[in-house]
Amino acid sequence: MYQPLADALRPKTIDEVAGQRHILGEQGVLRRIIQGGTIPNMIFYGPSGTGKTTVAEIAAARIHRPFYRLNATTASLADIKAVTKDVGTLLAPEGVVLYLDEIQYFNKKQQQSLLEFMENGSLTLIASTTENPYFYVYNAVLSRSTVFEFKPVSPEEVEPVVRRGVDHLAKTRGVSVQWEEGVLAHVAQSCGGDVRKALNAVEALFAAHAMDRGEITLTLEEAQTLSQRSAMRYDRDGDSHYDILSAFQKSIRGSDPDAGIHYLARLLEAGDLISPCRRLMVIASEDVGLAYPQAVSVVKACVDSANMLGLPEARIPLAQAVIFLATAPKSNSAMMAIDQAMADLRAGKSGNIPADLQDAHYGGAAKLGHGLGYRYAHDYPNHYVAQQYLPDELKDRVYYRYGENKTEQAAKRYWDSVKGQG
């Protein structure tokens, strides 16, 4: 019977697990929990192929309880009841361990059906998810669980696994294997931190030599063909999408054009044109803002060009916009001003509009005192006259503070002079 290579090489001990040194290293918290033999409810969160299922099975084996495994994509309430019916019986006097894969696919009712058993300790839940559990797992389950994040495995940690895979298949096939320089490193690098994907690539390499006998040679060209685009982790509705967009904006805000271009490339390589266009328009006002007010117009022109051209040509004006914004002076003074003003409104601070600023373009307005005493700024030198514009409750509130860049400082010097503050 066919057995996938990833399953055949599945680690049986913590020391055999590739990566995750931050939680499975010598002093790693998860390692010590598993070795202690008392397993709490846990949620393993991270990309595919990083060891979540393997570690769950290793943990379950330490506590010697009946072990059940469900996949939330296909499981139902009836399946959960089938697991919990043995709790407290001779079949499971000390409870059961349930490994629930892809818990994000369980709805609220399905997740809550586990709570009673989690609460009294008769069911130990080990759940895994590729999505952020703080978004997809309900609070009642989260509050009873400890979340551990699994990270993509580094190429240096994947390469020994790739080598073991090659040796295993060579022994199974009864052949001698040679490989060109860089083959194993390329497979380890191109899997994007997914060990399963790397082993699948090894299987595919051997499949390409299925008819060969005696000695086979794995070539770098074959490895590159099999791994095209495989390192890309991207899901338009998932964590990786928002993580890339976050890194994209933070890199440009931090004035790093190289990082900005890198994250733009990741978005475009995944075929996502809309997201970088929207985010670049935001950055133009949020992060460059009044330090270079013309940035909005420049970026809008680049975005319009990109949308008109479509991919792959759209990459050129978008790259121009990224480098332009990353190397432009920065100011968030406009965003800070509007956010503070809105915070006051949400706190109930508004007040009445001063009577002299109220609309006076209708009969009877003067009888109400609306518009009386208003001074028209253009009638005064420099088109300025001192008067109160904010409501009385907020009359001393300062929302806009000039940024340190030369554009805003030039404006500040001008108005300080006009207002007699210079």
Side-chain angles (χ1 to χ4, degrees), residues 39-278:
I39 309 298
N41 298 306
M42 299 184 291
I43 297 175
F44 295 165
Y45 153 54
S48 300
T50 53
K52 301 186 297 296
T53 300
T54 296
V55 174
E57 292 179 353
I58 293 171
R62 296 283 298 185
I63 55 178
H64 308 295
R65 291 187 191 177
F67 178 68
Y68 297 86
R69 179 174 175 175
L70 294 176
N71 189 301
T73 59
T74 56
S76 63
L77 278 174
D79 295 311
I80 297 174
K81 290 177 180 178
V83 171
T84 57
K85 70 179 178 61
D86 293 335
V87 171
T89 69
L90 291 175
L91 294 174
E94 296 182 1
V96 300
V97 179
L98 171 62
Y99 174 59
L100 182 59
D101 198 12
E102 305 292 355
I103 189 176
Q104 73 270 17
Y105 290 107
F106 260 14
N107 59 35
K108 186 173 184 179
K109 184 177 181 181
Q110 289 172 310
Q111 290 189 28
Q112 288 181 330
S113 67
L114 300 169
L115 292 177
E116 174 189 348
F117 302 96
M118 293 173 65
E119 189 73 40
N120 60 29
S122 58
L123 181 147
T124 298
L125 175 69
I126 305 177
S128 71
T129 175
T130 55
E131 306 292 348
N132 193 324
Y134 296 100
F135 296 158
Y136 290 92
V137 179
Y138 290 93
N139 284 335
V141 175
L142 270 178
S143 68
R144 293 166 174 80
S145 308
T146 302
V147 176
F148 290 97
E149 182 178 3
F150 282 60
K151 299 179 179 180
V153 184
S154 71
E156 293 75 22
E157 293 169 316
V158 174
E159 189 166 344
V161 180
V162 173
R163 187 180 294 270
R164 286 202 301 273
V166 171
D167 292 341
H168 177 84
L169 289 181
K171 183 177 180 181
T172 302
R173 287 266 310 269
V175 296
S176 174
V177 180
Q178 303 293 325
W179 55 81
E180 292 180 354
E181 183 178 354
V183 168
L184 302 189
H186 180 80
V187 173
Q189 177 71 47
S190 64
C191 71
D194 184 331
V195 177
R196 185 186 302 111
K197 185 181 290 185
L199 292 176
N200 289 344
V202 172
E203 279 196 283
L205 282 171
F206 271 77
H209 295 273
M211 304 302 294
D212 298 348
R213 296 291 180 267
E215 181 175 304
I216 64 175
T217 300
L218 308 179
T219 70
L220 184 58
E221 182 181 0
E222 292 169 342
Q224 291 171 337
T225 300
L226 289 170
S227 61
Q228 286 178 358
R229 296 168 62 93
S230 65
M232 181 66 63
R233 287 190 181 275
Y234 192 78
D235 178 353
R236 292 195 187 192
D237 297 317
D239 271 1
S240 59
H241 169 76
Y242 296 105
D243 286 345
I244 292 173
L245 283 177
S246 176
F248 180 56
Q249 180 163 2
K250 288 172 181 172
S251 298
I252 296 173
R253 178 186 298 151
S255 302
D256 188 333
D258 299 307
I261 286 291
H262 168 76
Y263 293 114
L264 173 66
R266 289 174 70 158
L267 291 163
L268 297 183
E269 189 69 11
D272 188 351
L273 178 59
I274 295 175
S275 296
C277 287
R278 293 182 67 250

